[in-house]
Amino acid sequence: MHKFNHSSILFSILLFVFALTGCATKLPSGLPQTPANEAEAKEVWGRYLALFGEETHKPFNIESTFRYIKPDGESHRATLRIWGNGGYPYRMDALAGMGSTAAQMLDDTNSLMVYMPQENRLYVHTGPDKPVLGLSGLGVPMPFSLADLTSLLQGHYTNLFGDSYASAYTNQHGEFHFDLSSDKTPGYLALNKDGIPVSWISKAEKTWNISFQFDSPTKTGEAPQLDKMIVTHGKGYKVTVWFKGIKYPDQPYTTKQLELTVPNDAEKLPMGQIEKEES
């Protein structure tokens, strides 16, 4: 049994939601090697774009549950609440045991702020290299940013995986594995025959892979809602995100509702300090 630690909760969340790093182009083991029929692959990809390609820029409020397991077996769980107006800035609160606030986050175009109420600490990072967050010293590639996580939870998969592919392969389960053209997420996106994502496999060795589980669609031709996604890493990290629900407010959030309010006496630290405290 591990002692509850808000710093570990915050570090776990940051480790999960930020910064895809550069990847090698070696084909990972276990991928199908059989080229797909070109016409069939285009049909499946077209279904995927129709279901998961449309983006709606409108106010949203998402709730999900997050569980992170480290290689040594230590685990942390939190409820994530994310809201915004369909683009930057994004606000997120992480609620831990008994509804206590473990962390509050504001992710804007060129800045990131994370406030930890229990410790009264504000971590800040600014600049174009914002997604990297100084975590490269851990030697662990990150799968995606908070904006990307939000896109996945909203069903806007092309924001992360792009809208084109270079080639396609099939396996014995009838799934299509598409070699993505996107430089952002170099890897293979597996779709079933209906165009619904099954998994994403990185091209890098020992890096993050994602599997998706969806609820059944309520109407024919309607995109199914994500139930949960499981993110694993070759070094033994595992993250599970359960989608709990999304609401679309009638009115946009005000500037004040998207602000991160911090006490004047909060200790201000660089974002990289989180890495040092966790190591």
Side-chain angles (χ1 to χ4, degrees), residues 64-127:
S64 63
T65 302
F66 169 100
R67 187 185 183 198
Y68 179 84
I69 302 176
K70 295 183 178 182
D72 61 4
E74 181 180 355
S75 66
H76 301 281
R77 189 174 183 126
T79 295
L80 304 183
R81 293 177 179 170
I82 308 170
W83 67 96
N85 286 326
Y88 288 107
Y90 293 92
R91 275 282 284 113
M92 184 178 80
D93 284 354
L95 308 178
M98 304 299 292
S100 61
T101 301
Q104 297 174 301
M105 182 183 300
L106 172 62
D107 187 6
D108 210 340
T109 308
N110 286 309
S111 65
L112 177 74
M113 294 191 296
V114 180
Y115 175 60
M116 299 176 62
Q118 302 297 324
E119 290 79 7
N120 196 27
R121 290 179 177 176
L122 176 66
Y123 296 90
V124 180
H125 187 97
T126 57

Coordinates of all heavy atoms in Angstrom, one line a residue, residues 64-127:
S64 N -13.6 12.2 -16.8 CA -13.1 10.8 -17.0 C -12.3 10.4 -15.7 O -12.0 11.2 -14.9 CB -12.1 10.8 -18.2 OG -11.0 11.7 -18.0
T65 N -12.1 9.1 -15.7 CA -11.3 8.6 -14.6 C -9.9 8.1 -15.1 O -9.9 7.5 -16.2 CB -12.0 7.4 -13.9 OG1 -13.3 7.9 -13.4 CG2 -11.2 6.9 -12.7
F66 N -8.9 8.3 -14.4 CA -7.5 8.1 -14.8 C -6.8 7.2 -13.8 O -6.9 7.5 -12.6 CB -6.9 9.5 -14.9 CG -5.4 9.5 -15.1 CD1 -4.9 9.7 -16.4 CD2 -4.5 9.3 -14.0 CE1 -3.5 9.7 -16.5 CE2 -3.1 9.4 -14.2 CZ -2.6 9.6 -15.5
R67 N -6.2 6.1 -14.3 CA -5.4 5.3 -13.4 C -4.0 5.0 -14.0 O -4.0 4.6 -15.2 CB -6.1 3.9 -13.1 CG -5.4 3.1 -12.1 CD -6.0 1.7 -11.9 NE -5.3 1.0 -10.9 CZ -5.4 -0.3 -10.7 NH1 -6.1 -1.1 -11.6 NH2 -4.8 -1.0 -9.7
Y68 N -3.0 5.3 -13.3 CA -1.6 5.2 -13.8 C -0.9 4.2 -12.9 O -0.9 4.3 -11.7 CB -1.0 6.6 -13.7 CG 0.4 6.6 -14.1 CD1 0.7 6.8 -15.5 CD2 1.5 6.5 -13.2 CE1 2.1 6.8 -15.9 CE2 2.8 6.6 -13.7 CZ 3.1 6.7 -15.0 OH 4.4 6.8 -15.4
I69 N -0.2 3.2 -13.5 CA 0.6 2.2 -12.8 C 2.0 2.3 -13.3 O 2.3 2.2 -14.5 CB 0.0 0.8 -13.1 CG1 -1.5 0.7 -12.7 CG2 0.8 -0.3 -12.3 CD1 -2.1 -0.6 -13.0
K70 N 2.9 2.4 -12.3 CA 4.3 2.5 -12.6 C 4.9 1.0 -12.7 O 4.3 0.1 -12.3 CB 5.1 3.2 -11.5 CG 4.7 4.7 -11.4 CD 5.5 5.4 -10.4 CE 5.1 6.9 -10.3 NZ 6.0 7.6 -9.3
P71 N 6.1 0.9 -13.3 CA 6.8 -0.4 -13.4 C 6.9 -1.1 -12.1 O 6.9 -2.4 -12.1 CB 8.1 -0.1 -14.1 CG 7.9 1.2 -14.8 CD 6.9 2.0 -14.0
D72 N 7.1 -0.4 -11.0 CA 7.3 -1.0 -9.7 C 5.9 -1.4 -9.0 O 5.9 -1.9 -7.9 CB 8.0 -0.1 -8.7 CG 7.3 1.2 -8.4 OD1 6.2 1.4 -8.9 OD2 7.9 2.0 -7.7
G73 N 4.8 -1.2 -9.7 CA 3.5 -1.6 -9.2 C 2.8 -0.5 -8.5 O 1.6 -0.6 -8.2
E74 N 3.4 0.6 -8.2 CA 2.8 1.8 -7.6 C 1.7 2.3 -8.5 O 2.0 2.5 -9.7 CB 3.8 2.8 -7.2 CG 3.2 4.1 -6.5 CD 4.2 5.1 -6.2 OE1 5.4 4.9 -6.4 OE2 3.8 6.2 -5.7
S75 N 0.5 2.6 -8.0 CA -0.5 3.1 -8.8 C -1.2 4.4 -8.2 O -1.2 4.6 -7.0 CB -1.6 2.0 -9.0 OG -2.3 1.7 -7.8
H76 N -1.8 5.2 -9.1 CA -2.5 6.4 -8.6 C -3.7 6.5 -9.5 O -3.8 6.1 -10.6 CB -1.6 7.6 -8.8 CG -0.3 7.6 -8.1 ND1 -0.2 7.8 -6.7 CD2 0.9 7.2 -8.5 CE1 1.0 7.7 -6.3 NE2 1.7 7.3 -7.4
R77 N -4.8 7.0 -8.8 CA -6.1 7.2 -9.5 C -6.6 8.6 -9.3 O -6.5 9.1 -8.2 CB -7.0 6.1 -9.1 CG -8.3 6.0 -9.9 CD -9.2 4.9 -9.4 NE -10.4 4.7 -10.2 CZ -10.7 3.6 -10.8 NH1 -10.0 2.5 -10.8 NH2 -11.8 3.5 -11.5
A78 N -7.2 9.1 -10.3 CA -7.8 10.5 -10.1 C -9.0 10.6 -11.1 O -9.1 9.9 -12.1 CB -6.8 11.6 -10.4
T79 N -9.9 11.6 -10.8 CA -10.9 12.0 -11.7 C -10.5 13.2 -12.4 O -10.0 14.2 -11.8 CB -12.2 12.3 -10.9 OG1 -12.7 11.0 -10.3 CG2 -13.3 12.8 -11.9
L80 N -10.5 13.2 -13.7 CA -10.1 14.4 -14.5 C -11.3 15.1 -15.1 O -12.3 14.5 -15.6 CB -9.3 13.9 -15.7 CG -8.0 13.1 -15.4 CD1 -7.2 12.8 -16.7 CD2 -7.1 13.8 -14.4
R81 N -11.4 16.4 -14.9 CA -12.4 17.2 -15.5 C -11.7 18.2 -16.4 O -10.9 19.0 -15.9 CB -13.2 17.9 -14.4 CG -14.0 17.0 -13.5 CD -14.8 17.6 -12.4 NE -15.6 16.7 -11.6 CZ -16.2 17.0 -10.5 NH1 -16.0 18.2 -10.0 NH2 -16.9 16.1 -9.9
I82 N -12.1 18.2 -17.6 CA -11.5 19.1 -18.7 C -12.6 19.9 -19.3 O -13.6 19.4 -19.6 CB -10.8 18.2 -19.7 CG1 -9.8 17.2 -19.1 CG2 -10.0 19.1 -20.7 CD1 -9.3 16.2 -20.1
W83 N -12.3 21.2 -19.5 CA -13.3 22.1 -20.1 C -12.6 23.2 -20.9 O -11.4 23.5 -20.7 CB -14.3 22.7 -19.1 CG -13.7 23.7 -18.1 CD1 -13.7 25.0 -18.2 CD2 -13.1 23.4 -16.8 NE1 -13.2 25.6 -17.1 CE2 -12.8 24.6 -16.3 CE3 -12.8 22.2 -16.2 CZ2 -12.1 24.7 -15.0 CZ3 -12.1 22.3 -14.9 CH2 -11.8 23.5 -14.4
G84 N -13.4 23.7 -21.9 CA -12.9 24.8 -22.7 C -13.9 25.1 -23.8 O -15.0 24.7 -23.7
N85 N -13.5 25.9 -24.7 CA -14.4 26.4 -25.8 C -14.1 25.8 -27.1 O -14.5 26.4 -28.2 CB -14.4 27.9 -25.8 CG -15.1 28.6 -24.7 OD1 -16.1 28.1 -24.2 ND2 -14.6 29.7 -24.2
G86 N -13.4 24.7 -27.2 CA -13.2 24.0 -28.5 C -11.8 24.3 -29.0 O -11.5 24.1 -30.2
G87 N -10.9 24.9 -28.2 CA -9.5 25.2 -28.6 C -8.8 25.8 -27.4 O -9.4 25.8 -26.3
Y88 N -7.6 26.2 -27.6 CA -6.9 26.8 -26.4 C -7.6 28.1 -25.9 O -8.2 28.8 -26.7 CB -5.5 27.2 -26.9 CG -4.5 26.0 -27.1 CD1 -4.2 25.7 -28.3 CD2 -4.0 25.3 -26.0 CE1 -3.3 24.6 -28.5 CE2 -3.2 24.2 -26.2 CZ -2.8 23.9 -27.4 OH -2.0 22.8 -27.6
P89 N -7.6 28.3 -24.6 CA -6.9 27.5 -23.6 C -7.8 26.3 -23.1 O -9.0 26.3 -23.3 CB -6.8 28.5 -22.4 CG -7.9 29.4 -22.6 CD -8.2 29.5 -24.1
Y90 N -7.1 25.3 -22.5 CA -7.8 24.2 -21.9 C -7.6 24.2 -20.4 O -6.5 24.5 -19.9 CB -7.2 22.8 -22.4 CG -7.5 22.6 -23.9 CD1 -6.5 23.0 -24.8 CD2 -8.6 21.9 -24.3 CE1 -6.8 22.7 -26.2 CE2 -8.9 21.7 -25.6 CZ -7.9 22.1 -26.6 OH -8.2 21.9 -27.9
R91 N -8.6 23.9 -19.7 CA -8.5 23.9 -18.2 C -8.8 22.4 -17.8 O -9.7 21.7 -18.3 CB -9.5 24.8 -17.5 CG -9.0 26.2 -17.4 CD -8.1 26.4 -16.2 NE -8.8 26.4 -14.9 CZ -8.7 25.4 -14.0 NH1 -7.9 24.4 -14.2 NH2 -9.3 25.6 -12.8
M92 N -8.0 22.0 -16.8 CA -8.2 20.6 -16.2 C -8.0 20.6 -14.7 O -7.1 21.2 -14.2 CB -7.3 19.6 -16.9 CG -7.5 18.2 -16.4 SD -6.4 17.0 -17.2 CE -5.0 17.2 -16.2
D93 N -8.9 20.0 -14.0 CA -8.8 19.7 -12.6 C -8.6 18.2 -12.4 O -9.4 17.4 -13.0 CB -10.0 20.2 -11.8 CG -9.9 21.8 -11.6 OD1 -8.9 22.4 -12.0 OD2 -10.9 22.3 -11.1
A94 N -7.7 17.8 -11.5 CA -7.6 16.4 -11.1 C -8.0 16.3 -9.7 O -7.4 16.9 -8.8 CB -6.1 16.0 -11.3
L95 N -9.0 15.4 -9.5 CA -9.6 15.2 -8.1 C -9.2 13.9 -7.7 O -9.3 12.8 -8.3 CB -11.1 15.3 -8.2 CG -11.7 16.6 -8.8 CD1 -13.2 16.5 -8.8 CD2 -11.2 17.8 -8.1
A96 N -8.6 13.8 -6.5 CA -8.1 12.6 -5.9 C -9.1 12.0 -4.9 O -10.3 12.3 -5.0 CB -6.7 12.8 -5.3
G97 N -8.6 11.3 -3.9 CA -9.5 10.7 -2.9 C -10.4 11.7 -2.2 O -10.0 12.8 -1.9
M98 N -11.7 11.3 -1.9 CA -12.7 12.1 -1.2 C -12.9 13.4 -1.9 O -13.4 14.4 -1.3 CB -12.2 12.3 0.2 CG -12.0 11.0 1.0 SD -13.4 10.0 1.2 CE -14.5 11.0 2.2
G99 N -12.7 13.5 -3.2 CA -13.0 14.7 -3.9 C -12.0 15.8 -3.7 O -12.2 16.9 -4.2
S100 N -10.9 15.6 -3.1 CA -9.9 16.6 -2.9 C -9.2 16.9 -4.2 O -8.9 16.1 -5.0 CB -8.8 16.2 -1.8 OG -8.1 15.1 -2.3
T101 N -8.8 18.2 -4.4 CA -8.2 18.6 -5.6 C -6.7 18.4 -5.5 O -6.0 19.0 -4.7 CB -8.4 20.1 -5.9 OG1 -9.9 20.4 -6.0 CG2 -7.8 20.6 -7.2
A102 N -6.2 17.5 -6.4 CA -4.8 17.2 -6.4 C -4.0 18.2 -7.3 O -2.9 18.5 -7.0 CB -4.6 15.8 -7.0
A103 N -4.6 18.6 -8.4 CA -3.9 19.6 -9.2 C -4.9 20.3 -10.1 O -6.0 19.8 -10.4 CB -2.9 18.8 -10.1
Q104 N -4.6 21.5 -10.5 CA -5.3 22.3 -11.4 C -4.4 22.8 -12.5 O -3.3 23.2 -12.3 CB -5.9 23.5 -10.7 CG -6.9 23.2 -9.6 CD -7.4 24.4 -8.8 OE1 -6.6 25.1 -8.3 NE2 -8.7 24.6 -8.9
M105 N -4.9 22.7 -13.8 CA -4.0 22.9 -14.9 C -4.6 23.9 -15.9 O -5.8 23.9 -16.1 CB -3.7 21.6 -15.6 CG -2.8 21.7 -16.8 SD -2.6 20.1 -17.7 CE -1.9 19.1 -16.3
L106 N -3.8 24.8 -16.4 CA -4.2 25.7 -17.5 C -3.2 25.5 -18.7 O -2.0 25.7 -18.5 CB -4.2 27.1 -17.1 CG -4.4 28.2 -18.2 CD1 -5.7 28.0 -18.8 CD2 -4.2 29.6 -17.6
D107 N -3.6 25.0 -19.8 CA -2.8 24.7 -21.0 C -3.2 25.7 -22.0 O -4.3 25.6 -22.6 CB -3.0 23.3 -21.4 CG -2.0 22.9 -22.5 OD1 -1.1 23.8 -22.8 OD2 -2.1 21.8 -23.1
D108 N -2.3 26.7 -22.3 CA -2.6 27.7 -23.3 C -1.6 27.5 -24.5 O -0.7 26.6 -24.4 CB -2.5 29.1 -22.8 CG -3.4 30.1 -23.5 OD1 -3.8 29.8 -24.6 OD2 -3.7 31.1 -22.9
T109 N -1.7 28.3 -25.5 CA -0.9 28.1 -26.7 C 0.6 28.0 -26.5 O 1.2 27.0 -27.0 CB -1.2 29.3 -27.7 OG1 -2.6 29.5 -27.9 CG2 -0.5 29.0 -29.1
N110 N 1.2 28.9 -25.7 CA 2.6 28.8 -25.5 C 3.0 28.8 -24.0 O 4.1 29.2 -23.6 CB 3.3 30.0 -26.1 CG 3.4 29.9 -27.7 OD1 3.8 28.8 -28.2 ND2 2.9 30.9 -28.4
S111 N 2.1 28.3 -23.2 CA 2.3 28.3 -21.7 C 1.6 27.2 -21.1 O 0.5 26.7 -21.6 CB 2.0 29.6 -21.1 OG 0.6 29.9 -21.2
L112 N 2.1 26.7 -20.0 CA 1.4 25.7 -19.2 C 1.6 26.0 -17.7 O 2.7 26.3 -17.3 CB 2.0 24.3 -19.5 CG 1.5 23.2 -18.6 CD1 0.1 22.8 -19.1 CD2 2.4 21.9 -18.7
M113 N 0.5 26.0 -16.9 CA 0.6 26.2 -15.5 C -0.1 25.1 -14.8 O -1.2 24.7 -15.2 CB 0.0 27.6 -15.1 CG 0.7 28.8 -15.7 SD 0.2 30.4 -15.0 CE -1.5 30.4 -15.5
V114 N 0.5 24.6 -13.7 CA -0.1 23.6 -12.9 C 0.0 24.0 -11.5 O 1.1 24.3 -10.9 CB 0.6 22.2 -13.1 CG1 -0.1 21.2 -12.2 CG2 0.5 21.8 -14.5
Y115 N -1.1 24.1 -10.8 CA -1.2 24.5 -9.4 C -1.6 23.3 -8.5 O -2.5 22.6 -8.8 CB -2.2 25.6 -9.2 CG -2.3 26.0 -7.7 CD1 -1.2 26.5 -7.0 CD2 -3.6 25.9 -7.1 CE1 -1.4 26.8 -5.6 CE2 -3.7 26.3 -5.8 CZ -2.6 26.7 -5.0 OH -2.8 27.1 -3.7
M116 N -0.8 23.1 -7.4 CA -1.1 22.0 -6.5 C -1.6 22.6 -5.2 O -0.8 23.1 -4.4 CB 0.2 21.1 -6.3 CG 0.6 20.5 -7.6 SD 2.2 19.6 -7.4 CE 1.6 18.3 -6.2
P117 N -2.9 22.6 -4.9 CA -3.4 23.3 -3.8 C -2.9 22.8 -2.4 O -2.6 23.6 -1.5 CB -4.9 23.0 -3.9 CG -5.2 22.8 -5.3 CD -3.9 22.1 -5.8
Q118 N -2.7 21.5 -2.3 CA -2.3 20.9 -1.0 C -0.9 21.4 -0.6 O -0.6 21.6 0.5 CB -2.2 19.4 -1.1 CG -3.6 18.8 -1.4 CD -4.6 19.1 -0.4 OE1 -4.4 19.1 0.8 NE2 -5.9 19.3 -0.8
E119 N 0.0 21.6 -1.6 CA 1.4 22.1 -1.4 C 1.5 23.6 -1.6 O 2.5 24.2 -1.3 CB 2.4 21.4 -2.3 CG 2.6 19.9 -1.9 CD 1.4 19.0 -2.4 OE1 0.6 19.5 -3.2 OE2 1.4 17.8 -2.1
N120 N 0.5 24.2 -2.2 CA 0.5 25.6 -2.5 C 1.6 26.0 -3.4 O 2.4 26.9 -3.2 CB 0.5 26.5 -1.3 CG 0.1 28.0 -1.6 OD1 -0.6 28.2 -2.6 ND2 0.6 28.9 -0.8
R121 N 1.8 25.1 -4.5 CA 2.9 25.3 -5.4 C 2.4 25.5 -6.8 O 1.4 24.8 -7.2 CB 3.9 24.1 -5.4 CG 4.7 24.0 -4.2 CD 5.6 22.8 -4.2 NE 6.4 22.6 -3.1 CZ 7.3 21.6 -2.9 NH1 7.3 20.6 -3.7 NH2 8.0 21.6 -1.8
L122 N 3.0 26.4 -7.6 CA 2.6 26.7 -9.0 C 3.8 26.3 -9.8 O 4.9 26.9 -9.7 CB 2.2 28.2 -9.2 CG 1.9 28.6 -10.6 CD1 0.6 27.9 -11.1 CD2 1.7 30.1 -10.7
Y123 N 3.6 25.4 -10.8 CA 4.6 25.0 -11.7 C 4.3 25.7 -13.0 O 3.2 25.6 -13.5 CB 4.7 23.5 -11.9 CG 5.1 22.8 -10.6 CD1 4.1 22.3 -9.7 CD2 6.4 22.5 -10.3 CE1 4.5 21.7 -8.5 CE2 6.8 21.8 -9.2 CZ 5.8 21.4 -8.3 OH 6.2 20.8 -7.1
V124 N 5.3 26.3 -13.6 CA 5.1 27.1 -14.9 C 6.1 26.7 -15.9 O 7.3 26.5 -15.7 CB 5.2 28.6 -14.5 CG1 5.0 29.4 -15.8 CG2 4.3 29.0 -13.5
H125 N 5.6 26.7 -17.2 CA 6.5 26.5 -18.3 C 6.0 27.4 -19.4 O 4.8 27.4 -19.7 CB 6.5 25.0 -18.8 CG 7.6 24.8 -19.8 ND1 8.8 24.3 -19.6 CD2 7.5 25.0 -21.2 CE1 9.5 24.2 -20.7 NE2 8.7 24.6 -21.7
T126 N 6.8 28.1 -20.1 CA 6.5 28.9 -21.2 C 7.4 28.7 -22.4 O 8.6 28.3 -22.2 CB 6.5 30.4 -20.9 OG1 7.8 30.8 -20.4 CG2 5.4 30.7 -19.8
G127 N 6.9 29.0 -23.6 CA 7.8 28.9 -24.8 C 7.3 27.9 -25.7 O 6.5 27.0 -25.4

